[in-house]
Amino acid sequence: MIQWIIICYVLTYSSLMLVAGKLGDRYGRRRIFKIGLTVSCVGLAACSMAPSFELLLPARVAQGLGTALAIACGPALATSLYPESERPRIIGYYAAMFAAAGAVGPVVGGVLTDALGWQGVFWFRIPLAGLVLALSWLLPQDKPQTSEGKPFDILGALLLVIALISLAATLSLVRRGEGAAALIIALLGITAAAGFIRTEHRAPDPVLRLDAFRSPRFALLNALNIVVSSASFTPLLFTPFFLTRYAGFDAATGGLALASGAVGTTIAAAMAGWMLKTMSSQSVAALGAATAAAGLILIGQVDGASSLAEVIATLALAGIGLGFFQTAYLDGVTAGLPESDRGVAGGLAMATRTIGVVAAASMLTLLFGASESSALAAGAGPEQAFSQAYALAFAIAATAAAAGAILAWTMRRST
């Protein structure tokens, strides 16, 4: 039952990111950003006051809606504050702050849960969102995209949401071994995706301009974000169990070790913003994917005898690679779409990233469980079986990231 608390939120914001970005481009990014913050406050309040599990779920959906509206417009609003020549540097800072939030959020959430109960995780953020909302008048009043009387692409938006939700649901059902249900949902998703493509080619003002994907570099860059995001999510899937069950660290120390990955991402993202002034996004992406691959393969080699410093170093290295890659990707996808579609670019970045995370959570977990069960059936002890499955999962993730590095380098050579 608990997984639905996560699923309701993640499915909502991930499926709506592209639509939210389009709304920002069409009706004003600052306006949609403020609406998103307002909806977030309402959703957070509803979560914190939910008297039952059944009422918590729709509150999480409302929170996910607010998240999609606010975050999709974030990169466009950040870059609008500076000249276009400063775009790579500002994107680097934006990605760094996003990663820093990923490091700080779980730590603060753990403290709040221990001190105030799970409700504190939600109501604590209401004044923070309210403060940002109050300060949002400092953002420039952006001009909405000129639609010239063209209707909003409601059908395309609906089909896109159905396709994305179906994809995530299919992966989740496969992981749980519900093959028949997964097949039905997959067929629904494929039908919706085909309908979306057909609609976008005909819509006067489509949610996503598919012409951009005719560029092999643009299409491949988005595919790489799915792959590298999936690979880089592996530490968050399995390393907490390793740290607390087999390495002998307490929860606080394990949390500190995991945070080192996000710290590495924060530092590397800020550095990448400056590197992009003299290097192509494909070169920085290749560097990031290769660094992530090196970190991931090393994480898979640590064992119960490894020191805390060794664990932190490997996690930080993988995080540094992710920081380089994500910043290069965000710069590349932003440059690949017209300036009028900056909101869509931000939504596309978050959507492809989330697809990678969901794929990792589903498929790698399935492979990990199969490997561990096989080792146990062959007579291995619990710790040995876990170690074998752990090394296999990270070897697969590292291989995927390395393949991404090679493809990104090939894109650079063909530029």
Side-chain angles (χ1 to χ4, degrees):
M1 291 174 64
I2 290 175
Q3 69 178 328
W4 285 102
I5 298 175
I6 301 171
I7 290 173
C8 285
Y9 175 67
V10 173
L11 277 185
T12 300
Y13 82 71
S14 62
S15 63
L16 291 174
M17 276 292 176
L18 272 166
V19 177
K22 182 62 179 180
L23 289 171
D25 291 333
R26 186 179 172 98
Y27 300 111
R29 294 155 192 156
R30 188 177 80 164
R31 176 186 298 172
I32 297 300
F33 179 72
K34 293 167 70 173
I35 292 174
L37 288 172
T38 303
V39 175
S40 292
C41 288
V42 173
L44 290 167
C47 288
S48 65
M49 295 186 295
S52 66
F53 176 81
E54 289 75 17
L55 291 178
L56 177 59
L57 298 184
R60 287 286 276 172
V61 170
Q63 185 194 354
L65 172 60
T67 297
L69 293 171
I71 292 183
C73 296
L77 286 171
T79 55
S80 70
L81 298 171
Y82 297 88
E84 183 64 12
S85 60
E86 293 295 309
R87 187 194 69 240
R89 182 173 65 89
I90 301 308
I91 284 178
Y93 288 147
Y94 181 86
M97 293 302 98
F98 211 91
V104 173
V107 177
V108 175
V111 172
L112 289 171
T113 301
D114 287 340
L116 304 171
W118 64 266
Q119 294 90 340
V121 175
F122 294 105
W123 67 252
F124 176 80
R125 284 180 283 177
I126 297 175
L128 296 180
L131 176 61
V132 176
L133 181 61
L135 294 174
S136 62
W137 65 272
L138 294 171
L139 294 170
Q141 182 66 53
D142 54 318
K143 295 181 179 180
Q145 185 185 88
T146 302
S147 56
E148 299 177 351
K150 299 175 182 176
F152 183 75
D153 184 16
I154 296 177
L155 179 58
L158 179 61
L159 289 170
L160 176 62
V161 169
I162 293 174
L164 291 174
I165 290 178
S166 298
L167 171 62
T170 298
L171 292 172
S172 179
L173 290 169
V174 168
R175 177 173 58 87
R176 293 162 57 185
E178 300 181 24
L183 179 60
I184 294 172
I185 299 299
L187 291 174
L188 174 63
I190 293 171
T191 302
F196 172 73
I197 294 172
R198 183 181 179 88
T199 300
E200 297 310 274
H201 283 303
R202 297 180 174 184
D205 187 25
V207 172
L208 180 61
R209 301 181 192 280
L210 299 180
D211 289 349
F213 289 89
R214 292 179 180 174
S215 166
R217 285 192 292 273
F218 184 82
L220 187 56
L221 194 59
N222 282 281
L224 288 179
N225 193 43
I226 296 175
V227 172
V228 176
S229 295
S230 180
S232 298
F233 190 65
T234 310
L236 292 180
L237 276 177
F238 305 119
T239 302
F241 299 100
F242 163 78
L243 293 172
T244 56
R245 293 184 183 180
Y246 299 104
F249 299 124
D250 57 40
T253 304
L256 175 64
L258 285 173
S260 65
V263 171
T265 301
T266 302
I267 296 171
M271 292 174 57
W274 289 98
M275 293 165 62
L276 286 166
K277 285 193 167 186
T278 56
M279 299 172 62
S280 69
S281 57
Q282 292 88 359
S283 297
V284 179
L287 173 64
T291 305
L296 290 168
I297 198 67
L298 290 174
I299 294 172
Q301 300 306 308
V302 298
D303 54 33
S306 301
S307 66
L308 178 62
E310 290 174 319
V311 174
I312 288 177
T314 58
L315 289 168
L317 183 63
I320 289 171
L322 181 61
F324 284 144
F325 180 85
Q326 285 186 340
T327 304
Y329 164 74
L330 186 54
D331 180 64
V333 76
T334 301
L337 290 173
E339 192 169 350
S340 60
D341 285 347
R342 286 285 165 86
V344 172
L348 182 60
M350 288 301 301
T352 51
R353 176 184 177 184
T354 304
I355 290 172
V357 168
V358 171
S362 301
M363 305 314 296
L364 282 178
T365 301
L366 185 65
L367 291 170
F368 184 95
S371 174
E372 188 176 34
S373 298
S374 176
L376 289 170
E383 184 172 351
Q384 183 183 5
F386 179 90
S387 296
Q388 289 180 10
Y390 189 77
L392 175 63
F394 279 95
I396 293 172
T399 300
I406 294 171
L407 289 174
W409 187 256
T410 301
M411 284 195 296
R412 183 202 68 86
R413 295 291 296 268
S414 63
T415 301

